[in-house]
Amino acid sequence: MLRLLYYTAWRRITSDRLRTLITLLGIALGVAVVLAIELANRATTRSVTVMVEEIAGKARLAIRGDEGGLPDSLLALVADHPGLTAALPVLEASLEHEESGRNLLLLGVDLLGDAAPRGYTVEIEQPIELVSRPDRVLITRLYADEQELAVGSPMTLVTARGPRVVRVGGILSGGSLADAFGGRVLLMDVRAAQFLMARPGRLDRIDLVPAPEWNGKSTTDPRGLAALSEALAALLPEGIGVEPPATRAAQAIDLLASFQVNLRMVSLVALFVGLFLVYNTMSIAVVQRRRETGILRALGVPRGRVTWLFTLEGFAYGLVGSALGLVLGVILARGALLAIASTLGRAYLPVSATEVPLPFPVLLACALLGVVVSTVAAWLPGREGAAMPPAITVRALPFRDIDRTRLGWLVALSVALFTGAAFLSRLGPVNGVAIFGYLAGFGIVFGTAALSPLVCLTFSRLIRPFLGATFGIEGTLAADNLRRSIGRTSLSISALMTGLSLVVCVATMIHSFKHSIVVWITNTVRADILIAGGSGESATTNVSMPMDFADSLRTIPGVASVNSFRMIQSRFRGEGIAIGSLGLVDWLASNPLVIRSRMEGPPGPDWAVVSENFADQFGVAAGDSLTLSTPSGPLGLRVGAVILDYTSDSGTVFMDREAYRGAWGDDLVDTFDLYLEPGASIGGARTAIDDRFGATQRLFVSGNGEMRRRILTSVDNTFAVVYALEVIALAIAVLGIVNTLVASILDRRRELGLLRAIGATRRQIGRLFILEAASMGVVGVLLGLGAGTLLSLLLVHVIQFQSTGWRFLYQFPGLMISATCLVTLVAAALAGWYPARIGATTWGAEALHYE
Amino acid sequence: MLQLDQIGKIYARGAEGVMALHQLSLEVARGEFLSIMGPSGSGKSTLLNLIGCLDRPTSGRILIDGLDTTGLDDNALTEVRRRRVAIIFQFYNLLPTLSAVENVALPRLLDGARDRDVRRRATDLLERVGLSHRLTHRPEELSGGEMQRVAIARALMSEAPLLLADEPTGNLDTVTALAVMELLTSTARAEGLTLVLVTHDPNVAALADRHVTIRDGRLVSDDRRVTSLAATT
């Protein structure tokens, strides 16, 4: 068999180097993209898990509330519990080291008792200073070396109380904590941290180190640990729980899940485009080796073995392409990881992932995926080629339009796929993942691909007179050639369609998202000036400010009123949500909002205004009651209104600021919204703020328009990885056109020879190929536009809605899509350039004489 | 009309070359009908390719109507093929996606001529070759003889003074072959064309005014019309 493969396939493969290269590149890119995204996703997920584990150390339980924190008085309730050897208070914050511009994870801990249970060692020169001087911090050896810091070095930290200078009191040199968050961990005394972060009496959690045994049970046993956990929870107020550190990691990972799934789907599309390429190449090989196949069959090689020959060839392509793809994927993974980590860090939570682990099972799985896809893509045309009667294969086939029966089957298949897609799109999500939506998307793509031969045929007939009138005989022949080898041609067109439809649907989704955000901001955030603490880089890295800062802001000339906004992550009915607190009545009065439904009567402090996705997810409506779990106990509110809101993809409850403070005891503010008096200058107010507070605070001050632009830019940055994947998918598809046309040259040597023999110039032959490529591009663009529009409707109204609960205002970006289609068309036409060069020069007089 | 001066052609095959033609000289007068015979591999088709400017000689000169084609670049050679030479092939070489009238019109369409004018002339030519009922048929719908008639009509379309035919009846049955040859020769005479024809068939060769034989790349005989060619094959 291998010898047969050598004689039939190997020589062709090595002589058709360009096409071999294109096919291998298609598979390699597809595998590389899937692998890169998978490795990057795993690295970010792992970094979250590892970070939690590294910080937890020996603590196998933790007392946690929500992001609003819990009172440090709870420490006394558990500190002497017989089931524990240590109860470690933790206050956590992300803040900027001003000199380096890096974001550090601050842990406010009991410096005297924290090291041993967490398993880290500290190099300290003056141990007593660590507790007597609140401005002393511990940094990791990693960070100290990176920033050339030593014990005694000053560091300026941007805190809730403005920039504060602290000094390095010691270096963390051992234990897993020293490596957490890429070494960007800062420890300080918990009381000092509470002061710096303006959170007096608050903690984020209490890490618990269980005793070896409790109540006769070993706490290393899960049941023993669970029993201890229950006993501790019974001591705590409602709304505050006891859970393993892994739960926190799991919750954080949940936040990332939707984003990661979207990336995976897009990367799979790139692989499928590669699949089209392999199918295309093998179909071409079957046609080109028609005569050899016939000879083999005539000599007695069974049909099955001939099928195996082609299948093995596809397997070989898959093997080599996947190997290349693995190498390329590992290289791409690093770039993907940086992009993804940056995006997630801005949008969800700080992620420090710089290393890309290479788990063998993942590498093997991606390689197998590429091999299987290629093998299957080769088996199908191989089976077809082997089935042709030997007598036919040894003769040149006359021109035949596509078999009408087969065309009928393809149309029927297309109808079935579209019908199936319509049905699947109506099904709900599974564990928050819109899996049926994604399947419906594949149905649309493959349904359109099945329709492409008919569209190609019809288009060829319709366009023939026009191309002939415009471009002469070259145009006529280009239109005709669309109908020849229609299986092969429509495959290339399908690949282009797939790539473009992905661009159209994602671009429309992003455009709809941005349009929706603009509408939302316009109606929800009417403040003239917005002030956040810190660099303003992202919500996850901003620094919260003390509420009393509002009094200072009210004294700025031109400021009519100040509203304070605070947002925390919390839980409702076991699911993560966001809680936003602000001057609710003033907010409702100052901003028109996009209200979906509203309760009768004036708003009051017991009102909750919920986002649309919250209302959908939890089945609440205006007028309903809801109860939030708070550190002070359950808090009952009435749903006053349901509004269009994109603050959080997990749903948001807006409540009155004072009610929030009373329940959570949290005086921090994330953003101050300043409303100016009529006629007051925004620039003047900004200058006044900078003059008064610039020296003592690190504030990020922006006007309303500026804030809007920044948010929209952030949206684009969030989808940067997706854009890159789309470009790759399109590039693979354009390669498919080159592949098809180069292959067709060999099939058409006689025709090309004839045209040259009767006086066609090289330029005319070249123009013929360019027109053919452009025609293929037109069909691909038309199909891509159609499929992409359908996909965009699916993505906006089904997939995104099921994933985030957000209802976007659908808006089709006509101008941008038109430009994209034009660029695709030009790229497709240019894809004909290389085949044009070959076609114009590759012809032999002998081909005209002999069959 | 046609002058071949010490033409040689060597094909590269690995380390050694294969000499297809060896210092062959020949002159063909305007309006003459020349047949070329020889065994397989003798160099007949090679000679036709060189005359038709489909290939370049390794040595020697070819003059068509006084124009030395051996030193011309590709564009100039294309021009020669478009205006001075027309070729009829054994396997018709019709474009499968074009109808009969479009195949006939092809040379002028490549020239950028207006579609309406060209179609009119193509239709006339097809009528002349007896295919007025097959204008819109594609090659797959035509018989072998009909396809060769279309090829003849296409060759006439370009109004080239030199007509080359490579085994034009090689793929046809006897009756059809005779009919095609009758058409070809009568048309060539009527138009005053110079016809150079390669054939295996002595009956076809016998129709020519003059007959040459090639063997191993060399011209071995050059006779005016003879009734029996058995001794030369």
Side-chain angles (χ1 to χ4, degrees):
Chain A
M1 183 72 114
L2 287 178
R3 191 173 295 186
L4 261 179
L5 191 65
Y6 172 77
Y7 284 129
T8 59
W10 177 250
R11 288 175 181 173
R12 284 266 191 187
I13 288 171
T14 50
S15 64
D16 286 335
R17 282 192 208 109
L18 176 66
R19 198 160 75 255
T20 302
L21 190 64
I22 288 171
T23 307
L24 287 175
L25 201 59
I27 302 165
L29 277 175
V31 169
V33 159
V34 170
L35 178 65
I37 295 300
E38 188 60 32
L39 289 179
N41 276 346
R42 281 172 177 261
T44 49
T45 302
R46 177 103 185 102
S47 76
V48 170
T49 309
V50 164
M51 184 174 77
V52 168
E53 288 170 358
E54 283 171 342
I55 292 171
K58 295 176 190 170
R60 286 184 288 128
L61 291 171
I63 296 173
R64 285 182 63 207
D66 58 24
E67 199 183 333
L70 37 94
D72 59 7
S73 56
L74 292 181
L75 191 60
L77 287 181
V78 297
D80 295 325
H81 195 280
L84 301 174
T85 56
L88 311 171
V90 180
L91 184 74
E92 210 174 89
S94 175
L95 41 71
E96 184 187 332
H97 175 202
E98 199 168 68
E99 284 88 356
S100 70
R102 305 296 297 276
N103 272 87
L104 307 178
L105 181 66
L106 167 71
L107 297 176
V109 298
D110 174 8
L111 287 178
L112 286 180
D114 197 75
R118 288 196 201 280
Y120 58 85
T121 53
V122 183
E123 299 163 15
I124 314 175
E125 286 182 3
Q126 304 282 346
I128 196 68
E129 270 200 356
L130 223 45
V131 291
S132 64
R133 298 288 301 269
D135 66 338
R136 292 303 190 252
V137 297
L138 302 178
I139 61 173
T140 66
R141 170 57 62 195
L142 213 57
Y143 194 68
D145 291 344
E146 182 193 303
Q147 299 297 325
E148 295 178 359
L149 297 168
V151 172
S153 298
M155 294 173 65
T156 307
L157 304 177
V158 179
T159 75
R161 296 189 185 280
R164 288 285 189 272
V165 177
V166 297
R167 286 194 181 272
V168 177
I171 308 285
L172 294 176
S173 55
S176 55
L177 186 61
D179 297 322
F181 203 53
R184 288 180 285 135
V185 172
L186 193 73
L187 266 59
M188 74 186 313
D189 179 70
V190 62
R191 298 272 175 237
Q194 286 171 335
F195 173 76
L196 272 188
M197 302 314 294
R199 297 179 66 193
R202 308 299 293 179
L203 298 173
D204 285 305
R205 66 178 187 276
I206 302 172
D207 287 338
L208 307 172
V209 181
E213 253 191 37
W214 181 73
N215 243 8
K217 290 185 187 141
S218 167
T219 57
T220 54
D221 184 283
R223 284 172 297 182
L225 192 67
L228 175 62
S229 174
E230 267 180 48
L232 289 167
L235 300 174
L236 303 170
E238 199 177 319
I240 296 178
V242 181
E243 59 198 21
T247 307
R248 179 173 174 232
Q251 288 166 358
I253 289 163
D254 260 349
L255 285 178
L256 315 181
S258 175
F259 182 80
Q260 290 177 325
V261 166
N262 281 338
L263 277 185
R264 262 194 203 106
M265 288 300 141
V266 174
S267 71
L268 279 177
V269 170
L271 183 65
F272 273 107
V273 174
L275 180 158
F276 278 130
L277 210 58
V278 173
Y279 188 95
N280 195 11
T281 297
M282 293 314 300
S283 298
I284 290 166
V286 163
V287 168
Q288 285 184 320
R289 280 181 242 158
R290 211 167 43 224
R291 186 186 289 273
E292 291 161 26
T293 306
I295 292 169
L296 287 176
R297 296 277 282 120
L299 291 175
V301 176
R303 190 182 292 188
R305 193 176 283 193
V306 172
T307 307
W308 263 112
L309 277 175
F310 287 108
T311 308
L312 271 178
E313 190 177 334
F315 174 78
Y317 271 121
L319 215 54
V320 176
S322 294
L324 284 172
L326 289 184
V327 172
L328 198 57
V330 170
I331 295 169
L332 282 178
R334 180 129 175 87
L337 177 61
L338 289 173
I340 291 171
S342 168
T343 300
L344 294 175
R346 278 197 302 273
Y348 296 102
L349 72 165
V351 172
S352 170
T354 52
E355 296 300 317
V356 177
L358 301 177
F360 181 72
V362 172
L363 296 174
L364 185 64
C366 287
L368 275 178
L369 190 61
V371 169
V372 166
V373 156
S374 300
T375 307
V376 169
W379 173 77
L380 292 166
R383 204 170 68 112
E384 224 173 270
M388 277 194 283
I392 291 177
T393 58
V394 295
R395 292 202 304 267
L397 290 177
F399 170 72
R400 287 265 187 273
D401 260 335
I402 188 171
D403 183 305
R404 301 246 167 234
T405 309
R406 190 168 180 189
L407 196 63
W409 277 112
L410 286 172
V411 171
L413 176 66
S414 175
V415 170
L417 286 168
F418 277 114
T419 307
F423 171 72
L424 288 169
S425 68
R426 294 198 165 291
L427 299 178
V430 176
N431 290 335
V433 179
I435 193 75
F436 293 117
Y438 287 120
L439 286 175
F442 280 113
I444 290 173
V445 169
F446 284 111
T448 309
L451 213 51
S452 63
L454 177 64
V455 172
C456 215
L457 206 63
T458 310
F459 182 78
S460 163
R461 292 202 170 112
L462 287 174
I463 204 72
R464 194 181 196 262
F466 168 73
L467 283 182
T470 312
F471 298 104
I473 188 62
E474 298 97 298
T476 304
L477 291 174
D480 285 345
N481 287 332
L482 269 187
R483 288 186 286 130
R484 305 180 65 183
S485 308
I486 200 161
R488 180 170 76 197
T489 303
S490 61
L491 269 173
S492 285
I493 289 171
S494 294
L496 190 67
M497 175 274 296
T498 304
L500 183 67
S501 66
L502 188 67
V503 172
V504 170
C505 91
V506 173
T508 304
M509 189 273 293
I510 292 170
H511 190 78
S512 300
F513 186 20
K514 287 162 84 168
H515 170 66
S516 303
I517 284 179
V518 167
V519 168
W520 166 57
I521 291 174
T522 304
N523 289 282
T524 309
V525 183
R526 286 293 189 95
D528 298 300
I529 294 175
L530 299 102
I531 299 177
S535 65
E537 189 188 308
S538 71
T540 58
T541 55
N542 285 349
V543 177
S544 303
M545 299 163 284
M547 186 161 173
D548 55 18
F549 188 53
D551 297 331
S552 304
L553 289 173
R554 284 191 191 95
T555 63
I556 296 290
V559 172
S561 63
V562 177
N563 205 335
S564 317
F565 179 71
R566 168 74 167 152
M567 192 177 93
I568 62 167
Q569 298 296 321
S570 187
R571 297 191 81 75
F572 180 72
R573 296 182 193 168
E575 299 292 330
I577 63 163
I579 293 179
S581 62
L582 69 173
L584 194 70
V585 174
D586 288 342
W587 180 55
L588 289 170
S590 309
N591 299 275
L593 306 183
V594 179
I595 298 178
R596 298 303 193 202
S597 60
R598 186 185 166 126
M599 198 168 70
E600 291 295 323
D606 65 335
W607 265 39
V609 173
V610 304
S611 65
E612 207 172 13
N613 58 336
F614 178 94
D616 286 337
Q617 186 181 1
F618 298 104
V620 301
D624 288 351
S625 300
L626 59 85
T627 304
L628 299 177
S629 294
T630 83
S632 309
L635 176 68
L637 298 171
R638 292 183 304 153
V639 179
V642 178
I643 63 169
L644 175 76
D645 182 82
Y646 300 114
T647 303
S648 167
D649 58 359
S650 45
T652 311
V653 174
F654 295 97
M655 62 183 293
D656 180 70
R657 180 80 187 135
E658 290 308 312
Y660 170 78
R661 285 180 68 201
W664 269 269
D666 178 4
D667 280 340
L668 289 178
V669 172
D670 294 318
T671 313
F672 288 104
D673 299 347
L674 273 58
Y675 296 82
L676 300 184
E677 286 160 0
S681 151
I682 293 177
R686 288 177 74 158
T687 304
I689 292 167
D690 192 48
D691 287 345
R692 190 172 305 181
F693 306 111
T696 56
Q697 299 286 340
R698 287 295 176 265
L699 301 175
F700 186 77
V701 182
S702 59
N704 191 293
E706 201 181 318
M707 180 264 305
R708 189 179 309 188
R709 281 190 297 276
R710 209 172 58 247
I711 290 175
L712 294 177
T713 303
S714 171
V715 169
D716 282 332
N717 292 340
T718 303
F719 288 99
V721 175
V722 175
Y723 289 140
L725 292 178
E726 289 171 357
V727 169
I728 290 173
L730 259 184
I732 296 172
V734 168
L735 283 179
I737 293 180
V738 177
N739 202 9
T740 298
L741 290 177
V742 167
S744 76
I745 290 169
L746 298 170
D747 265 353
R748 289 153 60 184
R749 285 193 79 207
R750 180 194 287 273
E751 265 173 60
L752 296 175
L754 170 72
L755 286 170
R756 293 285 274 133
I758 60 175
T761 60
R762 284 181 184 172
R763 182 172 286 190
Q764 285 175 309
I765 301 293
R767 191 152 56 169
L768 171 63
F769 278 96
I770 299 284
L771 285 172
E772 274 184 54
S775 300
M776 289 171 71
V778 169
V779 180
V781 162
L782 288 174
L783 287 173
L785 206 52
T789 304
L790 285 176
L791 284 173
S792 71
L793 289 166
L794 183 72
L795 187 58
V796 170
H797 294 304
V798 178
I799 294 174
Q800 277 302 321
F801 174 63
Q802 289 182 2
S803 303
T804 64
W806 283 336
R807 293 179 197 276
F808 293 151
L809 305 169
Y810 184 88
Q811 201 176 64
F812 191 79
L815 200 62
M816 187 213 169
I817 297 299
S818 301
T820 305
C821 288
L822 191 63
V823 168
T824 305
L825 205 54
V826 170
L830 289 176
W833 175 79
Y834 185 73
R837 279 194 58 178
I838 299 178
T841 53
T842 304
W843 67 289
E846 67 278 7
L848 294 167
H849 298 289
Y850 301 110
E851 183 131 281
Chain B
M1 172 70 213
L2 175 66
Q3 190 179 332
L4 307 178
D5 186 16
Q6 297 289 300
I7 292 298
K9 179 67 183 177
I10 299 173
Y11 288 109
R13 290 284 184 267
E16 297 174 2
V18 173
M19 186 169 289
L21 292 175
H22 181 73
Q23 292 183 311
L24 194 147
S25 294
L26 183 64
E27 278 189 39
V28 182
R30 189 177 299 279
E32 193 170 17
F33 178 4
L34 173 76
S35 68
I36 303 173
M37 283 191 71
S40 292
S42 59
K44 307 186 300 297
S45 291
T46 301
L47 180 61
L48 213 66
N49 287 343
L50 295 178
I51 297 171
C53 300
L54 300 176
D55 202 354
R56 291 180 187 274
T58 312
S59 58
R61 296 190 313 159
I62 299 174
L63 288 91
I64 300 175
D65 246 352
L67 174 68
D68 186 351
T69 64
T70 41
L72 298 180
D73 64 13
D74 184 79
N75 282 340
L77 282 177
T78 305
E79 192 67 14
V80 169
R81 291 197 297 271
R82 193 179 281 193
R83 305 210 187 284
R84 294 179 186 249
V85 180
I87 308 177
I88 300 165
F89 299 95
Q90 177 182 359
F91 294 104
Y92 332 122
N93 285 334
L94 302 178
L95 290 187
T97 64
L98 301 182
S99 64
V101 70
E102 286 171 337
N103 265 292
V104 172
L106 191 56
R108 294 305 312 280
L109 290 175
L110 284 169
D111 224 2
R114 277 180 51 174
D115 191 57
R116 193 184 305 169
D117 300 335
V118 169
R119 277 181 182 269
R120 197 176 302 130
R121 173 149 166 81
T123 306
D124 289 341
L125 285 170
L126 280 170
E127 280 174 11
R128 236 171 103 178
V129 300
L131 289 178
S132 57
H133 60 299
R134 295 292 206 198
L135 298 179
T136 58
H137 286 72
R138 285 208 301 247
E140 60 172 354
E141 298 164 315
L142 303 175
S143 67
E146 287 172 336
M147 282 197 275
Q148 198 59 293
R149 286 168 187 267
V150 173
I152 291 170
R154 183 180 66 196
L156 296 174
M157 186 71 184
S158 62
E159 297 177 336
L162 179 60
L163 196 58
L164 307 177
D166 186 9
E167 305 267 12
T169 60
N171 225 30
L172 304 172
D173 59 80
T174 317
V175 171
T176 310
L178 279 173
V180 166
M181 278 313 301
E182 168 60 31
L183 173 65
L184 188 57
T185 50
S186 63
T187 306
R189 281 195 218 289
E191 302 282 330
L193 303 176
T194 306
L195 175 60
V196 177
L197 180 144
V198 164
T199 184
H200 274 120
D201 189 342
N203 294 316
V204 169
L207 298 172
D209 301 326
R210 180 177 158 207
H211 165 76
V212 299
T213 306
I214 296 178
R215 187 173 288 142
D216 296 328
R218 288 180 166 80
L219 199 64
V220 297
S221 73
D222 184 347
D223 303 311
R224 289 284 150 187
R225 183 184 293 214
V226 292
T227 54
S228 169
L229 297 170
T232 60
T233 56

